[in-house]
């Protein structure tokens, strides 16, 4: 077994005061920079041998793409030690011994300024890749000569390990995604694509923000950038469909230079949306959209926030009360004032600003949250360009009750005795247990000050807090008391369970991951990608999780189902799945007649979905027999018709084949 080497530089956190009685100690944090994480990598310029390829302005994605139980790593950007313009695509497979191997030929086409996301798009238990960004490092708007083909939105389906023993991916031919990018340099957020099942239909959906240059090209005012926040519904794991009016009668507010995040903010079992950035108002904006449960959202108007841009914002339950709080760094565009604000979730869809002097205002912020010292409180790793300190990485250690102490910043180590994190901003910071030792390690990459003459860096820090008295994290227990209540008329199932327990994360703060599988099917719908046998959570950045002990899912067909639920703690460790079963007859809709096997209709939660090969005609007949709707359709899609009380008939026709669906509205 290979031995992982660490530099002598250590990061040690020392308590600077007393915390409230119920909090754990805050003096047991220690990190060591891994010196040769990629043993086979040769030196290049002042990039040392054994290092990761350097990078600057891009996001990264940690996930177990080969299902071996260890986190792999992907990112794509220019490494100026190789070329100042050629984009490098880097997939690092985790060897399981603390080291990594870079694939000689990456399975994904090079894409700069990107936000790569691992998620299971087609419910086959394998992590797929969503990769949106720019394929030409020198791209720029050039009026009618603009190379729109250089802005890309690609999806790669994981095909598993091939006969040659190597992992293989296949690019999806038609994704349905509009190509976007979220800025080319500066302090842009790199959390601008988020995955989660917002309509609870068992397939992971996407939301993304950025510039839509194709829409700009055909607009009446092409000199004005077109800013967007696009919501995409996953159609059966085969493609995505843009939801043009997610507010029912309007799109989301278009933004750029910010971030988006799916999260259940009000605890109703449905994913809401946080969106930040620069908008058409010529100012920074913040929007929360509440999920209505019918495929649409309602914009929040009750809360006031200090709006930010040029940073990634995130959500996490920082005070362990079971409600997701808001972490919002960045600058107000019009004044340039740098901020770092927390908003406590008070319940009832109300947020309250936390007054804290612990955080330095920054732009270029990239954030990751998790419990690094096993005291039950989630800590914050963030890099940014500070109001007082440029190019800095901070670890804010949580002392409970929304109190934090900064450690690891370069200015805390004036005499070089304890060391500090490298000075990195504008790239990616991620907490990830890459060696499965029960401690969250730290990844840093981006625009650097020191450590690299070219101003780019990519480093991994091992969490050595055990040497300071911290104990390794243990996964939560399996939930108990599982129950399923099927509503055949509504074509839904409500799943409930009793809270799990954990060694340090309070029961109120545990998050949950639910899976549902129709018996005999190989497809498994899951809110967070995880291993059914071990409970191992396959992604470092968890999104789409369930908060609370109730989850209401939509069902596509009658039959016997099995389901399970696991708890996830503040160190992102997943416990064992508890399992149950239920039977659904879906008697609320009186039959579906399908004359053609290639055609299909389905009505769930007010959303009428259709599927066909090629082109066809969709019609809806009202109770009095007249055609309330008649429109050409193609491929797979959905609509949200407005129904009054009565019995309707939907008919899908393609050539000589038809599919009909009777819909009873009570």
């Amino acid at each position: 077994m290979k031995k992982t080497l660490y530099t002598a530089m250590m990061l040690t956190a020392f308590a600077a005061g007393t915390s409230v009685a119920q909090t754990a100690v805050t003096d047991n944090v220690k990190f060591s920079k891994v010196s040769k994480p990629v043993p086979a990598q040769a030196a290049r310029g002042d990039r040392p041998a054994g290092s990761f390829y350097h990078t600057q302005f891009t996001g990264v994605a940690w996930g177990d793409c080969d299902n071996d139980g260890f986190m792999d790593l992907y990112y794509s950007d220019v490494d100026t030690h190789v070329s100042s313009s050629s984009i490098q695509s880097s997939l690092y497979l985790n060897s399981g011994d603390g080291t990594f191997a870079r694939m000689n030929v990456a399975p994904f086409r090079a894409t700069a300024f990107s936000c790569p996301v691992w998620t299971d798009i087609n419910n086959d238990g394998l992590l797929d890749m969503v990769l949106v960004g720019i394929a030409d490092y020198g791209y720029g708007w050039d009026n009618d000569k603009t190379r729109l083909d250089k802005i890309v939105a690609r999806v790669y389906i994981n095909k598993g390990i091939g006969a040659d023993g190597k992992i293989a991916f296949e690019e999806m031919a038609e994704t349905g995604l509009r190509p976007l990018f979220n800025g080319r340099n500066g302090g842009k957020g790199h959390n601008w694509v988020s995955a989660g099942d917002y309509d609870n239909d068992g397939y992971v959906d996407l939301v993304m923000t950025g510039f839509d240059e194709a829409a700009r090209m055909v607009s009446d005012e092409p000199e004005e950038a077109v800013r967007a926040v696009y919501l995409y519904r996953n159609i059966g794991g085969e493609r995505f469909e843009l939801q043009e009016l997610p507010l029912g009668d309007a799109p989301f507010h278009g933004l750029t230079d910010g971030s988006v995040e799916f999260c259940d903010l009000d605890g109703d079992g449905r994913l809401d949306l946080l969106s930040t950035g620069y908008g058409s108002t010529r100012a920074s904006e913040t929007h929360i959209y509440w999920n209505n449960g019918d495929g649409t959202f309602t914009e929040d108007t009750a809360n006031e926030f200090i709006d930010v841009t040029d940073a990634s914002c995130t959500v996490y339950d920082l005070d362990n009360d079971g409600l997701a709080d808001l972490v919002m760094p960045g600058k107000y565009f019009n004044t340039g004032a740098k901020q770092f604000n927390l908003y406590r979730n008070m319940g009832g869809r109300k947020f309250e600003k936390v007054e804290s002097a612990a955080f330095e205002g920054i732009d270029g912020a990239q954030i990751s949250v998790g419990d690094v010292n096993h005291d039950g409180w989630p800590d914050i790793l963030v890099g940014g360009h500070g109001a007082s300190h440029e190019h800095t990485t901070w670890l804010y250690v949580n002392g409970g009750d929304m109190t934090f102490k900064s450690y690891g910043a370069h200015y805390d180590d004036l005499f070089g005795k304890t060391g500090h994190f490298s000075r990195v901003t504008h790239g990616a910071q991620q907490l990830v247990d890459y060696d499965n030792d029960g401690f969250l390690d730290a990844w840093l990459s981006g625009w650097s000050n020191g450590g690299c003459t070219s101003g780019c860096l990519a480093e991994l820090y091992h969490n050595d807090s055990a040497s300071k008295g911290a104990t390794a994290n243990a996964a939560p227990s399996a939930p108990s008391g599982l129950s399923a209540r099927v509503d055949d008329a509504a074509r839904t199932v409500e799943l409930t369970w009793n809270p799990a327990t954990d060694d340090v994360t309070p029961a109120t703060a545990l998050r949950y991951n639910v899976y549902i599988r129709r018996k005999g099917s190989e497809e498994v719908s899951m809110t967070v990608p995880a291993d059914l046998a071990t409970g191992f959570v396959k992604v470092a950045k968890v999104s789409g999780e369930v908060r609370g002990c109730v989850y209401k899912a939509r069902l596509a067909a009658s039959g016997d189902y099995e389901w399970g639920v696991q708890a996830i703690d503040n160190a992102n460790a997943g416990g064992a799945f508890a399992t149950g079963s239920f039977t659904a007859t879906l008697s609320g809709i009186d039959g579906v007649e399908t004359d053609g096997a290639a055609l299909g209709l389905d009505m769930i939660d007010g959303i009428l979905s259709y599927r066909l090969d090629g082109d066809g005609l969709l019609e809806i007949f009202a109770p009095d027999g007249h055609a309330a709707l008649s429109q050409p359709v193609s491929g797979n899609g959905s609509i949200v018709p407005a129904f009054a009380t009565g019995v309707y008939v939907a008919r899908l026709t393609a050539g000589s084949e038809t599919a009909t669906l009777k819909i009873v509205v009570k």
Side-chain angles (χ1 to χ4, degrees), residues 377-631:
W377 296 102
D379 311 300
I380 301 173
L381 177 70
V382 59
H385 215 250
S388 302
H389 303 95
E390 297 182 346
H391 296 81
T392 304
T393 298
W394 295 264
L395 177 65
Y396 290 103
V397 180
N398 192 335
D401 195 30
M402 290 292 195
T403 62
F404 292 83
K405 178 64 178 178
S406 167
Y407 297 103
H410 67 90
Y411 54 84
D412 281 341
D413 183 34
L414 300 179
F415 301 102
K417 293 182 178 179
T418 61
H420 56 77
F421 286 118
S422 291
R423 301 179 62 181
V424 177
T425 182
H426 293 49
Q429 270 77 12
Q430 181 64 57
L431 293 171
V432 53
D433 185 4
Y434 77 91
D435 57 355
N436 293 352
D437 66 350
F439 289 95
L440 289 175
D441 309 299
W443 166 269
L444 318 177
S445 61
W447 181 29
S448 69
N449 184 331
C452 173
T453 57
S454 298
C456 52
L457 208 62
E459 296 179 336
L460 186 61
Y461 287 77
H462 187 265
N463 189 334
D464 287 335
S465 298
S467 67
K468 300 297 293 182
T471 57
N473 183 61
S477 69
S480 61
L482 277 63
S483 178
R485 185 176 65 86
V486 178
D487 186 333
D488 292 323
R491 299 173 69 88
T492 61
V493 60
E494 183 178 82
L495 306 172
T496 61
W497 55 90
N498 296 328
T501 59
D502 186 70
D503 54 349
V504 292
T505 301
T508 53
L510 290 173
R511 298 159 291 161
Y512 293 93
N513 180 25
V514 174
Y515 83 84
I516 300 176
R517 172 167 55 191
R518 191 178 181 189
K519 289 186 178 179
S521 173
E522 295 183 357
E523 286 194 11
V524 180
S525 65
M526 191 174 292
T527 52
V528 177
D531 188 292
L532 289 180
T534 66
F536 177 72
V537 177
K538 298 181 182 180
V539 290
K541 180 174 174 52
V542 175
S543 67
E545 71 273 23
V546 178
R547 296 183 180 273
C549 297
V550 180
Y551 184 69
K552 191 174 184 178
R554 296 166 52 195
L555 299 176
S558 300
D560 296 325
Y561 288 82
E562 61 180 76
W563 71 284
V565 58
Q566 70 170 160
I568 303 174
D569 65 16
N570 279 339
N572 291 333
F577 279 94
T579 59
S581 62
F582 62 88
T583 298
T585 59
L586 306 186
S587 59
I589 297 179
D590 297 331
V592 180
E593 300 174 5
T594 305
D595 298 329
L599 303 181
L601 287 168
D602 197 12
M603 183 77 179
I604 302 176
D605 286 351
I607 301 174
L608 178 62
S609 300
Y610 56 84
R611 57 188 181 277
L612 71 160
D613 295 332
D615 300 325
L617 179 68
L618 176 63
E619 300 167 288
I620 299 179
F621 298 94
D624 63 3
H626 83 277
L629 179 142
S630 179
Q631 69 178 50

Side-chain angles (χ1 to χ4, degrees), residues 201-213:
D201 70 345
Y203 289 95
V204 173
D205 310 300
L206 298 174
V207 63
M208 59 185 67
T209 182
F211 294 96
D212 187 341
E213 302 283 69

